[in-house]
Amino acid sequence: MQINADLHCHSTVSDGWLTPTDVVRRAAANSVALLALTDHDEVGGIDEACGEALRLGVRLLPGVEISVTFLKETVHVVGLGIDHRDRQLLEGLESVRSGRVQRARKMSAALDAAGIHGTFEGASRLARNPAMVGRAHFARYIVSTGLMPDVSTVFQYYLARGKPGYVEHEWASLDDAVRWIRGAGGVAVLAHPARYRLSTDELHRLLDRFVACGGEGIEVVAGAHTEAETVKFAAIARRWGLLASRASDFHGEGESSVDLGRSSNLPPDLTPVWTRFV
Ligand code: AMP
Ligand code: MN
Ligand code: MN
Ligand code: MN
C-alpha cells in the first residue's frame, strides 16, 4: 500500500526553518497523508504540530530523532508513534541534549583557531531554541557572514567529522535510544543509513546490534540517499527483516534536497513502517 507518508522532518524546535505549525501546513499543501515530526533529541513541537494537523486533516505521528554514538560515529535513530509524554523518554532526551551548549562552545573555540570568529553567539542567535544549537546553525551563521556560499560547503570545509570545527561528542548509546523509543510505545527506525562513515563490516555490526536491541525499521528512501543507495538499503531491509521508511528529512526550502512528501516511492515488495500505524 503506497500512501504519501513522510516520516522524518524538522521544525524550529531543533534545526528546521519552519515552526511546527508551518511544517504541518506545508505538508498538507504537498498532500502528505501521514507525517512524523522528528526534531533532534526534543519533542517540544509535537503538541503544536498535532493541533494544526487536526485542523488540516493530516495524520501526525509524534516522533523524535535521537543522536547516538556507535563505533565513534554519530548515528541517528528515529522514533515513530511515541508517547511524547513518556517520562523515561523525556529524561533520556534531556540527558542527550545536556551536552549541546558545551559542545557548541568547543566548536566555536575550534573555529576561532581556524580564523572564524563569533560563531557561538551567531549560531545561538539563529537557533530559535538555543538549547538545541547545532551544526546547522553554525553553518547558517557562517553563510550569513559571506564567508561561504552555502550550508553544505560549510560542512564540507569546517563542520564534517575530521574538519577544523568538528568536535567529538558522546551522544546516547544505541541500546538506550531504542529502549526509550520502545518504552514510549514507538517504533525505532535507523535514519539515513547511507550517511554514516562505516565500513561494510561496521555497518553490519550496527544493523545486527540495532535489531538485537529492538530496532524495527530503516529509512530506505531518505532525503540524503541516491537511487543506488535506496537499492542498497532495500536489500538490507530484506536481509535484516526491517520495515521500510520513507523520509524527506526536510529542514527548509533551499537547504533540503527534497520537499515534504516529495520523496520517491518505496520498492513495492518492502513492508512500509506505516503499516504499524494505519
Ligand atoms: P548536530 O546534531 O548539531 O551535529 O547537527 C546535525 C545536523 O547537521 C543534521 O541533522 C543536518 O541538519 C546537518 N548536517 C549534517 N551534515 C550535513 C551536511 N553535510 N550538509 C548539510 N547539513 C548537514
Ligand atoms: Mn538536522
Ligand atoms: Mn539525521
Ligand atoms: Mn533529520
Side-chain angles (χ1 to χ4, degrees):
M1 175 194 36
Q2 299 283 356
I3 61 169
N4 192 354
D6 190 338
L7 303 181
H8 181 159
C9 66
H10 296 273
S11 75
T12 45
V13 163
S14 63
D15 57 5
W17 283 95
L18 303 179
T19 63
T21 296
D22 285 338
V23 169
V24 174
R25 285 185 182 161
R26 190 179 182 98
N30 286 359
S31 308
V32 173
L34 181 67
L35 178 72
L37 177 64
T38 57
D39 277 306
H40 298 285
D41 308 317
E42 171 63 275
V43 292
I46 301 296
D47 283 330
E48 181 187 323
C50 279
E52 189 64 11
L54 207 60
R55 276 189 286 279
L56 296 179
V58 175
R59 271 211 62 197
L60 187 106
L61 288 177
V64 67
E65 180 177 20
I66 304 182
S67 312
V68 158
T69 302
F70 186 84
L71 299 174
K72 297 213 180 287
E73 175 65 316
T74 298
V75 166
H76 286 169
V77 177
V78 162
L80 298 176
I82 48 167
D83 168 5
H84 61 291
R85 298 192 182 89
D86 181 86
R87 181 195 289 269
Q88 256 196 18
L89 173 71
L90 291 175
E91 284 175 5
L93 295 179
E94 198 184 332
S95 72
V96 181
R97 288 195 302 270
S98 66
R100 248 188 203 273
V101 172
Q102 202 189 352
R103 179 188 72 143
R105 290 199 184 279
K106 287 186 194 160
M107 285 172 58
S108 186
L111 288 165
D112 266 331
I116 306 183
H117 306 294
T119 55
F120 178 79
E121 293 73 17
S124 298
R125 262 199 313 277
L126 291 178
R128 290 274 193 99
N129 176 5
M132 279 306 297
V133 62
R135 286 186 291 160
H137 305 108
F138 276 79
R140 290 168 195 163
Y141 172 70
I142 292 169
V143 170
S144 79
T145 66
L147 211 61
M148 295 255 125
D150 53 51
V151 159
S152 64
T153 309
V154 184
F155 271 89
Q156 191 185 331
Y157 285 95
Y158 287 101
L159 299 179
R161 191 171 158 205
K163 300 299 174 185
Y166 185 82
V167 168
E168 293 287 344
H169 190 76
E170 190 75 18
W171 302 106
S173 74
L174 182 63
D175 289 57
D176 280 348
V178 173
R179 192 165 47 79
W180 298 332
I181 291 166
R182 288 179 65 100
V187 175
V189 176
L190 188 64
H192 43 65
R195 278 255 301 271
Y196 308 132
R197 293 203 311 192
L198 298 172
S199 67
T200 302
D201 180 59
E202 289 169 334
L203 174 66
H204 291 182
R205 280 165 64 190
L206 170 63
L207 291 160
D208 287 343
R209 185 77 219 147
F210 181 65
V211 169
C213 69
E216 296 176 87
I218 189 166
E219 289 179 359
V220 171
V221 170
H225 284 186
T226 63
E227 270 183 49
E229 286 164 345
T230 291
V231 169
K232 172 179 171 180
F233 287 97
I236 281 177
R238 294 181 195 105
R239 180 164 157 198
W240 270 265
L242 291 162
L243 300 166
S245 193
R246 177 176 185 256
S248 67
D249 202 359
F250 183 75
H251 284 70
E253 211 168 340
E255 216 174 271
S256 296
S257 51
V258 56
D259 203 339
L260 290 168
R262 297 278 160 81
S263 306
S264 48
N265 287 333
L266 290 173
D269 66 300
L270 299 179
T271 307
V273 66
W274 60 78
T275 56
R276 294 285 299 273
F277 302 106
V278 296

